Amino acid sequence: MPETTDLFIIGGGINGCGIARDAVGRGLSVRLAEMGDLAQATSSKSTKLFHGGLRYLEYLEIRLVREALKEREVLLRAMPHISWPMRFVLPLDPHMTFESTTPVGRAVAMVMPWTKGHRPNFLIRAGLFLYDNLGGRKILPGTKSVDLKTGVEGRPLQDRLQAAYEYSDCWVDDARLVALNARDAAERGADVLVGAEVADARRDGALWKVTLTDGRIFHARALVNAGGPWVGHVIHDVIHLPSTESVRLVRGSHIVVPKLYDHDKAYFFQGADGRIIFAIPYERDFTLIGTTDQDHQGSPLDAECTPAEQQYLCDFASKYFKQPVTRDQIVWTYSGVRPLYDDGAKSATAATREYVLSLDTNGAPCLNVFGGKITTYRKLAEHALQKLAPHFPQAGDDWTAGVPLPGGNFPVDGVSRLIASLRQDYPFLTEDWAHRLIRAYGLDARQILGDARSAADLGRDFGGTLSEVELRWLMRHEFARHAADVVWRRSKLGLRMQPDQIAALDAWMTEKRAAA
């Protein structure tokens, strides 16, 4: 790569990597710098859904919901290995309430005061009708009613819950989404730098001069600040712009417990405080419960699911499940900080989920990216390149819709066939092992396994079905440098590996990096 590129992108989360992939595919030269690991903060700590945001309808964020609903199936087709359709069961509970700050909640309180802040069932069905029809579904089935007294969906729930609605959204492995966008960008010609923190960036004539903490200096014709929760820090302390725009840091925490039920559907629970949480099948043997919405102070890297948040999520879920969820069941927690555009909302829950792209043209252009949802990352990238288009008339047109991510060039319903075929050709794989490889790598699973005829041919066994050949692939193609990059982001094998195994893995990776 030349020292001077068209774009220099700060931040290796989903927005930064999505913009890098889109830009390099239009013929622009791109360099991206991430201070730690790809998706190390917000982008690996979401609720892991491609969804329209059903509850955003109460805030009348119609444009955002419509765009996200349209994107679900576009994304699903491009990455059927790491994303798949999921049905969500929304039990009808007479104690469900609006958050008092929502426009719809205020309207219902004014027109139908006898509801006392509770969500009427007809209003929920009206919202689901909009949800079904705003995005032009072609793959995902629509809403239907569920009898919890007789259906399998009602078995784990308390007997007081008699009926529910069931609707569609999609699951996605968020951290793998980022890694695959970065990999695709790199294979198309982008220079992706991990462990590369930007210390300073200044306008230098018609260019940006970017200095890393290790002393390396690069130049670019335009700068993109996709720092996520650090976007404000980058504006004020790195690129020194006199901007008054800022983000509101909102912490979303999750807990993981052993599997609470046997079917493959998720639950959408509504609370007496107006909040909602999900309970979602996770990594085949667990249930993921989240999320909270708390304003966050301090470094985003210090975010953790506090004891109070853990108890809140346990108590919330226990109001719906027959068997109480308790803190001693928790096997893992994680917490991410969402960088929402600060629109002055009274509560963290009410803060807008709309993304804002702010272009500073007082010299070489600088685009600051505020907010954004994982579901709309591709559209955000398109809009970012549209903002920058006057400065790069040579750039190509929009191109990413329908273009598969690495390993994802197969039909949406093709996963089970790929798993069966992989096991036939590699008979030493267990069902769970083959399932994990296809869900992580899709068609690339065969490239990883190569001509292996036994597990021994895959090199060292690090535990949890992680082999040396897979680890080398992750280091060579997906920018992994440390054990945490592998076991908590590129995979979730940390749930199945022992601490001594993870320590040995980290030592091996450190040795290989030093020898490289």
Side-chain angles (χ1 to χ4, degrees), residues 223-442:
L223 187 73
V224 175
N225 172 14
W230 287 273
V231 64
H233 160 71
V234 172
I235 288 173
H236 298 294
D237 302 327
V238 177
I239 59 180
H240 317 290
L241 290 183
S243 173
T244 59
E245 294 175 302
S246 62
V247 292
R248 181 174 189 163
L249 300 182
V250 176
R251 186 174 68 249
S253 295
H254 301 75
I255 60 175
V256 177
V257 299
K259 186 165 64 172
L260 297 176
Y261 52 89
D262 292 329
H263 61 78
D264 61 357
K265 298 176 182 178
Y267 289 99
F268 179 117
F269 294 148
Q270 303 179 78
D273 61 355
R275 290 266 314 121
I276 67 100
I277 64 169
F278 296 102
I280 305 173
Y282 189 62
E283 294 294 315
R284 309 196 85 186
D285 297 317
F286 304 93
T287 300
L288 172 68
I289 300 174
T291 178
T292 60
D293 267 323
Q294 299 284 334
D295 284 311
H296 181 78
Q297 306 296 326
S299 170
L301 292 179
D302 294 335
E304 63 177 20
C305 184
T306 66
E309 287 177 302
Q310 294 177 35
Q311 192 63 55
Y312 172 83
L313 292 172
C314 288
D315 292 344
F316 201 141
S318 296
K319 291 175 181 176
Y320 282 86
F321 287 117
K322 286 178 181 175
Q323 297 298 320
V325 180
T326 57
R327 286 183 61 195
D328 60 358
Q329 295 174 268
I330 297 173
V331 298
W332 185 46
T333 70
Y334 67 88
S335 188
V337 176
R338 296 184 287 268
L340 307 181
Y341 187 76
D342 191 355
D343 61 351
K346 292 182 179 179
S347 72
T349 302
T352 183
R353 266 56 176 177
E354 288 271 15
Y355 56 80
V356 175
L357 304 175
S358 179
L359 183 63
D360 185 297
T361 56
N362 186 26
C366 174
L367 183 70
N368 294 302
V369 180
F370 297 91
K373 284 164 46 66
I374 196 167
T375 312
T376 53
Y377 87 91
R378 193 192 66 82
K379 295 299 292 184
L380 183 151
E382 285 187 345
H383 292 156
L385 270 298
Q386 290 166 15
K387 280 267 191 180
L388 291 166
H391 304 278
F392 299 103
Q394 77 276 23
D397 297 328
D398 295 349
W399 65 275
T400 56
V403 178
L405 287 178
N409 192 16
F410 62 91
V412 170
D413 61 355
V415 165
S416 59
R417 291 190 295 275
L418 288 181
I419 293 172
S421 176
L422 196 69
R423 290 200 70 197
Q424 181 178 353
D425 294 344
Y426 298 91
F428 59 87
L429 295 177
T430 64
E431 173 69 21
D432 284 349
W433 192 354
H435 183 277
R436 183 181 73 78
L437 290 175
I438 293 298
R439 276 301 184 197
Y441 306 104

Side-chain angles (χ1 to χ4, degrees), residues 7-152:
L7 294 187
F8 193 104
I9 300 171
I10 300 175
I14 188 54
N15 290 336
C17 291
I19 292 171
R21 178 187 184 232
D22 192 324
V24 75
R26 295 172 189 255
L28 301 182
S29 56
V30 177
R31 180 171 281 115
L32 179 147
E34 162 55 45
M35 66 177 180
D37 182 34
L38 300 173
Q40 73 169 359
T42 305
S43 294
S44 63
K45 296 173 180 176
S46 72
T47 312
K48 309 183 192 308
L49 301 176
F50 283 150
H51 68 131
L54 181 59
R55 70 185 181 89
Y56 302 153
L57 291 174
E58 290 185 6
Y59 295 92
L60 300 181
E61 299 217 38
I62 304 299
R63 192 214 64 81
L64 173 67
V65 174
R66 179 187 292 112
E67 181 177 75
L69 288 172
K70 289 180 178 179
E71 276 295 285
R72 293 179 308 177
E73 295 192 4
V74 173
L75 299 174
L76 182 59
R77 289 188 178 95
M79 55 197 79
H81 48 334
I82 64 168
S83 180
W84 55 90
M86 184 171 281
R87 296 290 278 173
F88 288 76
V89 178
L90 194 167
L92 298 176
D93 186 339
H95 301 295
M96 299 183 300
T97 61
F98 291 100
E99 184 174 359
S100 59
T101 58
T102 70
V104 173
R106 291 196 299 267
V108 170
M110 182 180 300
V111 177
M112 294 181 289
W114 59 87
T115 63
K116 298 180 179 179
H118 293 170
R119 289 183 177 93
N121 289 354
F122 79 86
L123 195 63
I124 295 171
R125 187 63 186 92
L128 288 167
F129 176 82
L130 283 175
Y131 205 72
D132 280 345
N133 291 284
L134 278 174
R137 291 176 300 105
K138 294 181 179 178
I139 298 175
L140 302 175
T143 298
K144 71 172 188 177
S145 298
V146 176
D147 186 347
L148 297 178
K149 301 188 297 298
T150 58
V152 64

